[in-house]
Amino acid sequence: MDIKDIKYISTIVEMVSFSKASKKLYISQPALSQSIRRIEAELGVPLFARDRTKVIPTAAALQIAKEGMPLVRKVEALTQSIINQGSDAAYHVRIGLSQFYGHHMLGKTLKSFQQIEPSWEFHVVEGESHFLEQQICDGLVDVGLFPTPIYSQDLESYPVLDEQILLAISVENKKAIAIADSLMTLDGIHDIAPFGAFPFILLREGLKLRTLVNRLCQAESFVPKAVIGSENLDTCRSLVEDDYGITFLPSTLNRKGDDDKVKFYPLASKLCFRQLVLVARSDRAKRFHLPEVANIMQKFL
């Protein structure tokens, strides 16, 4: 049994639910259940029993949670201390964001922080937002920049930018362009069903934008013909430019109005809106003046 195992057990004890614990830990419920079975086999004792409404921890699980979590916190604190060695933690900001937002937003983000304190130094951590949320909760990353929703109730968020999800079509795809132009209203396109015959380039399942797109399509009773699942929004746009398919992209990719190869269409659905936010634990939010930084970023954007 290692530190991660102790954290798994303690979180289930805290949440009294495997499903809620898996969400807080940012792992799948089957993976969590498999880990608990492995730990029970290693220890030779049961850790949890189930009734119809909740998970019941055994005495062994309660003991692990009580005596083990202080060890977990010590290890996390030690890790943070080592990371901070050689720098003043008050002036060293670890910023987490995806490769996409790093490409499009990092410079403006750093300049916004430096308007508060020019001497701050920065370390950038790239990753998917679920992973970064956990890193922030664990104190390994100070501040995150990623889109809503924010899943952890322990984090504070500060709006930076309103994003709209747009339908993106290559200008070479004359048939899809003609359909989109014919469907456009003052509110945007109301019906995406006519695009059912076209191949779609989508992000892989589990990413926030893919989840939003899934909800949008379900609300429209529309099933896109997905031909690829990508990890990166810039890759999706590049494939659209080459007329490999059509896709859904955030308005961040259309802010320069560079629609020479791709034409963007707004959709009328209320599901097509989300916010880009700065995220941190409350103590870090105060230390790095996130409300003020968010206001400065809004002016840059």
Side-chain angles (χ1 to χ4, degrees):
M1 184 173 64
D2 58 22
I3 290 294
K4 183 183 290 186
D5 295 337
I6 293 172
K7 193 167 186 176
Y8 285 178
I9 295 165
S10 301
T11 304
I12 298 170
V13 170
E14 176 191 356
M15 305 304 295
V16 201
S17 164
F18 273 74
S19 61
K20 292 179 180 178
S22 66
K23 290 178 181 178
K24 186 169 183 178
L25 292 164
Y26 303 104
I27 65 172
S28 68
Q29 186 173 338
L32 180 59
S33 298
Q34 184 177 7
S35 294
I36 296 301
R37 287 194 296 270
R38 172 183 55 78
I39 299 167
E40 288 177 328
E42 290 176 359
L43 298 177
V45 296
L47 295 173
F48 298 98
R50 296 174 181 268
D51 66 12
R52 293 182 180 179
T53 59
K54 62 182 179 180
V55 172
I56 303 172
T58 64
L62 292 172
Q63 181 180 358
I64 291 170
K66 181 180 179 180
E67 299 180 20
M69 274 310 291
L71 299 176
V72 173
R73 295 190 184 100
K74 285 183 179 180
V75 170
E76 291 175 348
L78 175 61
T79 303
Q80 182 180 336
S81 175
I82 296 300
I83 289 174
N84 287 332
Q85 277 187 12
S87 65
D88 184 347
Y91 296 97
H92 188 87
V93 190
R94 292 162 297 182
I95 298 179
L97 69 176
S98 70
Q99 185 180 29
F100 169 74
Y101 286 105
H103 180 195
H104 293 275
M105 310 283 289
L106 182 58
K108 296 180 178 66
T109 303
L110 300 184
K111 288 179 180 178
S112 299
F113 275 98
Q114 288 180 325
Q115 286 206 9
I116 301 293
E117 178 49 69
S119 65
W120 279 345
E121 299 178 359
F122 301 93
H123 175 71
V124 177
V125 179
E126 290 188 341
E128 195 268 325
S129 59
H130 289 79
F131 162 77
L132 293 172
E133 274 198 39
Q134 186 60 55
Q135 293 283 292
I136 294 170
C137 290
D138 292 343
L140 303 177
V141 170
D142 298 307
V143 179
L145 177 69
F146 36 79
T148 54
I150 307 303
Y151 298 107
S152 174
Q153 297 180 353
D154 299 326
L155 301 180
E156 297 183 4
S157 61
Y158 302 87
V160 169
L161 175 70
D162 291 326
E163 279 194 328
Q164 184 177 7
I165 307 306
L166 308 171
L167 186 67
I169 305 173
S170 168
V171 295
E172 299 297 324
N173 193 335
K174 305 300 183 183
K175 185 175 181 180
I177 290 288
I179 292 173
D181 287 341
S182 70
L183 294 173
M184 270 297 295
T185 69
L186 292 176
D187 298 328
I189 293 176
H190 285 264
D191 183 13
I192 57 177
F195 298 98
F198 297 96
F200 272 78
I201 301 154
L202 301 177
L203 291 179
R204 68 166 173 81
E205 291 285 356
L207 296 177
K208 286 183 178 179
L209 182 58
R210 178 61 185 270
T211 301
L212 187 154
V213 167
N214 287 348
R215 290 173 181 168
L216 168 67
C217 292
Q218 288 170 5
E220 299 284 335
S221 299
F222 174 71
V223 179
K225 185 170 66 175
V227 294
I228 191 170
S230 176
E231 294 277 342
N232 188 282
L233 288 167
D234 286 309
T235 300
C236 292
R237 174 174 175 137
S238 177
L239 289 170
V240 171
E241 289 180 356
D242 292 336
D243 196 19
Y244 190 77
I246 62 180
T247 192
F248 301 95
L249 293 174
S251 51
T252 301
L253 272 171
N254 191 39
R255 295 184 64 80
K256 296 179 182 178
D258 52 348
D259 56 352
D260 54 326
K261 295 183 179 179
V262 178
K263 193 166 183 180
F264 291 86
Y265 293 88
L267 301 170
S269 172
K270 294 180 180 179
L271 295 173
C272 290
F273 295 88
R274 66 181 186 178
Q275 286 186 318
L276 186 66
V277 293
L278 286 171
V279 181
R281 296 188 335 197
S282 59
D283 58 330
R284 307 295 172 85
K286 294 175 182 177
R287 179 188 302 174
F288 297 116
H289 309 285
L290 286 202
E292 293 85 350
V293 173
N295 288 333
I296 293 171
M297 286 189 69
Q298 290 171 9
K299 296 174 185 178
F300 273 126
L301 302 173

